[in-house]
Amino acid sequence: MTQLTELDYKTRLPDTPVKLCLSLFTGALTPHSLWQSAPFRRKFLLRALIMPVSTFKVLNMITQHPAYPELLQAQPRLPCRLHRPYLSNQLTRRECTDAIIFHYKKITALLDETAFIKHLSGEGIRLCSFSGKDGGDYYINFISTRKLDREGEASLILKRADGQMLAEITFTLCEKEQQAVIITGGLQGPNNPDSQQIVQAATKNLYGIFPKKLVFEALLVIARLFNVSRILAVSNKAHVYSSLRYKNRQKHMHADYDSFWEMVGGVPTDRAMFSLPLATTRKGFEEIASKKRAEYRRRYELLDKLTAQIETGFRLKVAMSF
């Protein structure tokens, strides 16, 4: 078996969808330890034969991508992404296929090669960093990670300086009616035994902003930079882990999606989705009790800093055509 990192993709990686399919099935190419399992590879081939058109389209996108080896290594389940529920249990296979292809086409056009590969790395792109009330540092990274690949292709992850994850929101860029749309398939907080205490401490240090609210605010900035016309989000009912296939994984859903989307101004739509606002409304200081104005001022300053850093960071990293 040949490990992907040992390959010169220009001469040795399979250059067609059929060749890639066969290389993965035979074990000649193992971008991750998952592909070292013969049962996994047999299931892949069987499902590829059952759904050949969608599988071919995704494999073709992979083999034609300028960052083919990095993409396959960062997202080793991408060749079989459509063989399982993905993004929302309300979407058709064709919609999921189109979403994956559009996402990578759009992201590749927006980011230069270095930035695209960076967002595939274990660290991702550092979008912003800031200090909380107690002086502790926080940061938000833009990353494509396989551990969240059922819920989307890219994530915004808020962490403390010590690496403790506080919130992550996962999405895929799609196209609807010739307009770019974000579909948010995942929203999670920490999964620690003391997660409630961790979130409460972070909220206090972030001047009363919930960690999930902060990554949502970051998503709104990304949506503006990517010229997104609409943001959709899965409800509890539409989440992939609500699929019959993942019944035993529903314990991994620690978030009440419906309540959060309603809190940020989301409106229920058809197909068990929410339509989210493209911007949030801030209270005027005259509406805020005098004893709370200082806290709100610092909160707004933090949000303004987050926005400015993300805009500056992506302007430095996006391709010249953006």
Side-chain angles (χ1 to χ4, degrees), residues 155-176:
S155 299
L156 295 169
I157 302 180
L158 169 65
K159 293 184 178 181
R160 294 188 318 216
D162 63 1
Q164 171 63 55
M165 188 274 285
L166 299 172
E168 52 195 15
I169 191 166
T170 304
F171 63 94
T172 295
L173 283 165
C174 310
E175 186 177 38
K176 291 184 179 294

Side-chain angles (χ1 to χ4, degrees), residues 110-116 125-127 225 308-322:
L110 290 169
L111 302 181
D112 62 30
E113 183 179 1
T114 301
F116 183 87
I125 297 174
R126 180 69 54 87
L127 292 185
L225 291 174
Q309 286 192 29
I310 294 176
E311 290 178 345
T312 301
F314 264 109
R315 283 173 182 160
L316 292 175
K317 295 178 176 69
V318 295
M320 294 300 292
S321 61
F322 179 58

Side-chain angles (χ1 to χ4, degrees), residues 92-311:
T92 66
R93 185 177 299 132
R94 180 175 179 177
E95 287 174 319
C96 291
T97 305
D98 292 344
I100 290 171
I101 293 172
F102 179 81
H103 175 90
Y104 285 107
K105 178 181 178 181
K106 185 76 170 177
I107 292 292
T108 303
L110 290 169
L111 302 181
D112 62 30
E113 183 179 1
T114 301
F116 183 87
I117 293 174
K118 180 69 173 174
H119 107 286
L120 294 175
S121 69
E123 180 184 351
I125 297 174
R126 180 69 54 87
L127 292 185
C128 59
S129 56
F130 44 87
S131 298
K133 186 186 295 185
D134 66 351
D137 293 328
Y138 300 84
Y139 59 89
I140 295 177
N141 284 356
F142 175 62
I143 185 170
S144 178
T145 172
R146 67 178 179 82
K147 74 183 183 73
L148 299 172
D149 61 6
R150 294 178 180 87
E151 299 173 318
E153 300 301 319
S155 299
L156 295 169
I157 302 180
L158 169 65
K159 293 184 178 181
R160 294 188 318 216
D162 63 1
Q164 171 63 55
M165 188 274 285
L166 299 172
E168 52 195 15
I169 191 166
T170 304
F171 63 94
T172 295
L173 283 165
C174 310
E175 186 177 38
K176 291 184 179 294
E177 299 177 353
Q178 299 184 319
Q179 296 289 321
V181 174
I182 281 176
I183 295 183
T184 302
L187 175 72
Q188 296 292 338
N191 191 22
N192 307 55
D194 58 344
S195 58
Q196 186 175 356
Q197 290 77 15
I198 290 173
V199 170
Q200 287 176 345
T203 302
K204 181 178 179 181
N205 285 323
L206 296 172
Y207 307 104
I209 306 174
F210 295 115
K212 289 178 184 175
K213 179 66 160 54
L214 201 60
V215 292
F216 173 69
E217 291 281 355
L219 180 67
L220 296 183
V221 182
I222 295 294
R224 292 196 296 274
L225 291 174
F226 288 1
N227 295 319
V228 165
S229 64
R230 193 179 184 193
I231 302 176
L232 297 174
V234 299
S235 64
N236 294 331
K237 180 182 178 182
H239 194 277
V240 287
Y241 285 161
S242 294
S243 304
L244 289 176
R245 180 187 179 93
Y246 292 137
K247 187 175 181 180
N248 63 332
R249 292 179 177 266
Q250 291 179 11
K251 60 184 179 181
H252 295 289
M253 286 185 63
H254 305 291
D256 182 349
Y257 286 70
D258 296 5
S259 296
F260 183 81
W261 302 139
E262 289 169 357
M263 183 190 74
V264 298
V267 178
T269 65
D270 58 352
R271 304 178 75 180
M273 305 283 274
F274 278 81
S275 179
L276 306 183
L278 291 172
T280 54
T281 302
R282 296 182 181 181
K283 289 183 178 181
F285 285 109
E286 67 279 359
E287 304 175 60
I288 303 169
S290 57
K291 63 180 180 180
K292 294 184 178 181
R293 287 176 185 171
E295 180 88 351
Y296 271 83
R297 184 175 292 107
R298 296 188 186 96
R299 185 182 303 180
Y300 294 162
E301 288 172 354
L302 174 58
L303 293 174
D304 289 341
K305 183 176 182 180
L306 176 146
T307 299
Q309 286 192 29
I310 294 176
E311 290 178 345

